Amino acid sequence: PTGGFFVLNPLYRMDSPHCAVFVYIYLSDSANQNGKCRPAIPAVGKELKFSRSTVRSALRDLCKAGLLETEQRYRQSERSFTGADQQT
């Protein structure tokens, strides 16, 4: 991040659906000063009106493009995505 602004050019060159761009922007808006955020997949989907599988697919696309790193945390009752670090 540069002054709270994330460079979007790599997103525009990605060969992936527009959903990945929306998820990236959502995560950018949710990130702290270190570029980290920890939203759950259902929360991202609800905000963007995407299904969980669409959010997961977008996250995979962003990771493959090197724009995002994820970590999985497990809850007692279910497995869910709860973290993302953005790469710029």
Side-chain angles (χ1 to χ4, degrees):
T2 307
F5 176 75
F6 294 91
V7 179
L8 297 178
N9 280 338
L11 282 174
Y12 302 139
R13 289 187 294 243
M14 281 177 44
D15 185 27
S16 64
H18 68 279
C19 299
V21 175
F22 284 111
V23 169
Y24 186 84
I25 292 170
Y26 176 85
L27 294 175
S28 294
D29 287 344
S30 302
N32 65 19
Q33 291 177 338
N34 297 322
K36 294 186 179 199
C37 59
R38 307 237 182 287
I41 286 176
V44 176
K46 183 177 180 181
E47 287 288 320
L48 298 176
K49 297 177 179 44
F50 292 156
S51 69
R52 291 179 186 184
S53 62
T54 298
V55 173
R56 284 189 189 100
S57 177
L59 292 170
R60 279 192 300 272
D61 290 342
L62 292 167
C63 288
K64 283 181 187 176
L67 296 170
L68 194 72
E69 291 179 2
T70 62
E71 64 183 43
Q72 290 184 337
R73 296 190 311 186
Y74 296 90
R75 296 182 184 184
Q76 286 181 331
S77 62
E78 66 179 279
R79 190 176 114 190
S80 75
F81 164 84
T82 57
D85 295 336
Q86 296 178 329
Q87 302 298 308
T88 57

